[in-house]
Amino acid sequence: MSGFAARLFRDTYGSDTAASDLESYIDKNFSTERQEAGILDPSAAVFVAMVDDLIIGYAHVVVRSADGRSALLNRIYVDAEWRGADWPAVFSTLLSTSSSSAALRTWN
């Protein structure tokens, strides 16, 4: 997942971010160890969208916030080829899962 996340981050921010800044951010935030820590974090949930064993997107949601009633959609990345697919269903799943984890508010 770290390679997928790094690739999509480069695709998204590469055209308007200095290469050294981009690579520094990726090295710090998308390493295998950092991704593993995010997946294992009991205060968060990671959702991975796959088609035929290929990762096409992922979301990282922090489900325990300071007030105990909110969730933070920390990251959501979708491969360009899959953007525009049935993402209302994805968001519905995120919201219902977050709600079942004591996250009771959403913001529009």
Side-chain angles (χ1 to χ4, degrees), residues 7-18 22 25 77:
R7 179 176 61 80
L8 265 60
F9 191 84
R10 274 189 200 94
D11 290 350
T12 302
Y13 298 104
S15 65
D16 61 0
T17 303
L22 187 72
Y25 186 88
Y77 288 102

Side-chain angles (χ1 to χ4, degrees), residues 13-30:
Y13 298 104
S15 65
D16 61 0
T17 303
S20 61
D21 293 341
L22 187 72
E23 294 307 316
S24 176
Y25 186 88
I26 288 170
D27 289 346
K28 179 181 176 187
N29 293 285
F30 295 110

